[in-house]
Amino acid sequence: VQLAESGGGLVQAGGSLRLSCVASVRIFTNYAMGWFRQAPGKEREFVATISWNGDNTYYADSVKGRFTISRDNAKSTVYLQMDNLKPDDTAVYYCAADAWATSETLKRGTGFDSVDNWGQGTQVTVSS
């Protein structure tokens, strides 16, 4: 799966950004999708995941109520709407695909083990 993120940038605290991730894959609905982030000096962390049909979404506590994950299967695209951004949200954001996800792995933000199913990332910087 080839994944390409876009939409990152520099924004002031309290602002919004919408990230997009386009998948180059024959059958997009074979995959659950997720957004993850990595800040400088920190490990990569789970942000949000979405089931193959979009019916189920899960969020890290740190972004719940501020971020919204969605997908458009006709466009093979997953989105991350980020509102009320905080400086702590500064990170490189990655999207990932998982053909073997379960509700439990999506809820925990685990799985997504195939290195071939990750994008290159997009930088999000939130200034205070």
Side-chain angles (χ1 to χ4, degrees), residues 11-38:
V11 64
Q12 288 189 329
S16 298
L17 283 175
R18 188 194 197 201
L19 306 184
S20 299
C21 173
V22 179
S24 297
V25 64
R26 196 164 67 90
I27 305 177
F28 184 57
T29 50
N30 279 352
Y31 297 88
M33 300 296 295
W35 285 97
F36 298 80
R37 68 186 182 186
Q38 187 167 19

Side-chain angles (χ1 to χ4, degrees), residues 72-118:
D72 184 338
N73 287 339
K75 296 181 178 179
S76 298
T77 301
V78 62
Y79 303 98
L80 186 68
Q81 176 66 41
M82 306 186 294
D83 298 318
N84 191 21
L85 282 159
K86 304 176 180 181
D88 283 349
D89 295 319
T90 295
V92 177
Y93 283 70
Y94 300 89
C95 70
D98 188 354
W100 304 101
T102 65
S103 58
E104 282 304 308
T105 63
L106 291 180
K107 194 178 300 183
R108 295 195 302 266
T110 56
F112 296 91
D113 292 328
S114 174
V115 296
D116 293 331
N117 292 354
W118 286 79

